[in-house]
Amino acid sequence: MAPFGQSRMLPRAAYVDPAVFAWEQRHFFGGGWMCVARSDQIAQPGDQRAEATGEGSVLLTRDDEGVLHAFANTCRHRGHELLPCGTAAQQKVIICPYHSWTYTLDGGLRAAAGFKNQPRFAAERWGLNELPVTEWHGLIFVDGSGAAPPLADSLGTLDEIVAPYEMERLIVAGRHEYETTANWKILTENYHECYHCPVIHPELCKVSPPRSGENYSTPGIWVGGWMDLRDGMATMSLDGASHGVPLRALDEKGLRTVIYVAIFPNLLVSLHPDYVMVHRLVPLAVDRTYIECTWAFAPESLAQPGFDPTYAVEFWDITNRQDWHACESVQRGLSSPHAVPGPLSPDEDAVYQFVAMVARGYQGQPAWNPGLPSWDVSDPVPAR
Ligand code: FES
Ligand SMILES: [Fe+2]
């Protein structure tokens, strides 16, 4: 919590202690808005999908009127999950797999075997517990606490930055799943700096200068910045060429930069001139994280004869694996009882913004990021 330049990284326990992880599951992942799916996964009436939200999970449905709902994924009878996490169904009703209690797509209890002639059984009391849900540029967010302020309030100006990419009209043409043996915060911290790029990402440095760009200084529950493309490079790919078409609403700057933003706690959005890559992190344990990575392109790109998204997917799959390899080594290194939190470099201001959000959360304050820190070494704390 000290000023940038004097502060140290989070305590080792934040990365290795299962008790800290349990706290984060309750308060970060289950205690406010988090992204759980894409709108195209719940597009039609009857579509259903379950995803983890901290300690529990959520059941998403699209009802007959096209309205999106989110429910605690637990049956009102004796608690069975309505759908296993990470799976989907398409059905006109929600049927619990245990004793077949049946719910409508908007959560009302429609049938419970054996209760039909029980005069004291009030079915209207036993509907599913509904949670706040909202769609933002083609992504679905759920508030596991049921009490958070509107998502738009906490994103602030990010909406203006993201809007020209028209994510809601893009089509996912590439998808990878990864399971890493690293704490979710190590992955996010790694995303927020390119201090490591010259050392572990030769492919990335060929197309984008690692020290280019700046971080945003606007407040909200997100952190991010941009980097430039080198002259002659059209996008992030192994040879810098694009095999798609540029996104139609981008200005000159959008066509020459890549924007990297993280929405607390679990979403990394990378905005390219011709595609958008999204990493959705799902923490599995203090030292294990599932990552879904998708690549979405304009419909005009997919309409091109023989369109192949490999140019983008391969580039980032190589880069992702270089990152996960480094993050997994950080996890192993931090498991040493001799690991002590170190200082951040002047190039790691976005890491500072992120860990300060986490630290505020640990102290019971809103994680809200006040904006870009200035480097301050006027009163450095001792090294230990
Ligand atoms: S627990 Fe769902 S019907 Fe019994
Ligand atoms: Fe990296």
Side-chain angles (χ1 to χ4, degrees):
M1 300 296 286
F4 183 48
Q6 301 176 26
S7 70
R8 297 288 180 264
M9 279 300 290
L10 296 169
R12 171 181 170 264
Y15 305 96
V16 301
D17 186 341
V20 176
F21 179 74
W23 186 94
E24 292 175 342
Q25 284 283 69
R26 188 169 322 128
H27 296 278
F28 287 159
F29 294 92
W33 294 104
M34 72 176 274
C35 179
V36 291
R38 298 184 309 281
S39 300
D40 65 12
Q41 293 177 296
I42 312 283
Q44 303 302 328
D47 281 348
Q48 306 176 22
R49 182 167 189 87
E51 285 291 341
T53 48
E55 293 171 306
S57 60
V58 69
L59 177 74
L60 302 169
T61 67
R62 182 83 61 183
D63 72 19
D64 294 332
E65 273 74 55
V67 178
L68 181 67
H69 297 272
F71 306 104
N73 184 23
T74 174
C75 180
R76 294 301 307 276
H77 174 221
R78 276 176 40 221
H80 198 285
E81 286 177 324
L82 300 160
L83 261 187
C85 248
T87 67
Q90 158 58 238
Q91 223 166 188
K92 289 281 168 221
V93 286
I94 303 161
I95 304 176
C96 177
Y98 201 6
H99 315 93
S100 293
W101 277 33
T102 302
Y103 304 88
T104 54
L105 293 169
D106 60 3
L109 177 62
R110 187 152 109 183
F115 283 90
K116 202 166 179 189
N117 299 318
Q118 301 291 327
R120 301 241 299 276
F121 181 70
E124 63 278 7
R125 278 187 53 202
W126 301 106
L128 298 176
N129 286 330
E130 191 149 14
L131 296 169
V133 64
T134 192
E135 292 179 275
W136 184 80
H137 297 294
L139 299 166
I140 297 175
F141 289 76
V142 168
D143 166 22
S145 74
L151 177 70
D153 293 1
S154 53
L155 294 180
T157 51
L158 182 59
D159 203 65
E160 288 164 34
I161 294 167
V162 167
Y165 292 83
E166 301 182 297
M167 284 166 58
E168 56 284 352
R169 74 185 278 273
L170 305 187
I171 298 169
V172 172
R175 180 174 176 273
H176 277 198
E177 294 178 291
Y178 304 93
E179 196 174 314
T180 62
T181 52
N183 181 272
W184 66 278
K185 297 185 296 299
I186 295 175
L187 300 165
T188 305
E189 289 153 12
N190 172 79
Y191 182 75
H192 281 311
E193 49 93 358
C194 217
Y195 189 41
H196 68 265
C197 294
V199 190
I200 72 167
H201 295 317
E203 296 83 3
L204 184 148
C205 294
K206 255 179 70 183
V207 286
S208 183
R211 297 202 65 186
S212 63
E214 306 269 342
N215 288 316
Y216 295 106
S217 62
T218 42
I221 191 90
W222 62 279
V223 175
W226 70 90
M227 285 173 58
D228 299 329
L229 290 163
R230 289 191 191 277
D231 288 344
M233 304 296 174
T235 192
M236 300 298 271
S237 65
L238 289 173
D239 61 1
S242 170
H243 297 237
V245 295
L247 301 179
R248 64 184 183 182
L250 298 188
D251 61 13
E252 210 34 53
K253 186 169 184 216
L255 296 173
R256 300 304 314 147
T257 52
V258 181
I259 295 174
Y260 301 93
V261 295
I263 300 175
F264 192 86
N266 74 321
L267 199 71
L268 314 177
V269 181
S270 306
L271 305 157
H272 299 68
D274 55 338
Y275 64 92
V276 172
M277 174 174 68
V278 174
H279 291 87
R280 185 171 64 89
L281 276 52
V282 181
L284 303 174
V286 69
D287 57 357
R288 244 165 10 98
T289 308
Y290 164 90
I291 303 159
E292 181 196 47
C293 187
T294 55
W295 290 262
F297 301 79
E300 306 86 81
S301 284
L302 273 86
Q304 289 182 325
F307 173 74
D308 184 350
T310 304
Y311 73 98
V313 174
E314 183 186 23
F315 173 87
W316 278 113
D317 185 48
I318 290 169
T319 308
N320 281 340
R321 289 176 194 278
Q322 291 163 342
D323 280 324
W324 311 157
H325 187 71
C327 291
E328 290 175 348
S329 181
V330 171
Q331 183 73 39
R332 290 191 297 275
L334 290 175
S335 67
S336 161
H338 301 290
V340 173
L344 291 168
S345 82
D347 285 346
E348 295 174 295
D349 52 307
V351 179
Y352 174 80
Q353 292 183 70
F354 171 69
V355 294
M357 289 167 84
V358 172
R360 279 191 292 274
Y362 287 164
Q363 296 194 338
Q365 303 167 20
W368 190 272
N369 169 32
L372 201 62
S374 55
W375 178 252
D376 182 351
V377 285
S378 56
D379 183 24
V381 292
R384 284 190 72 124

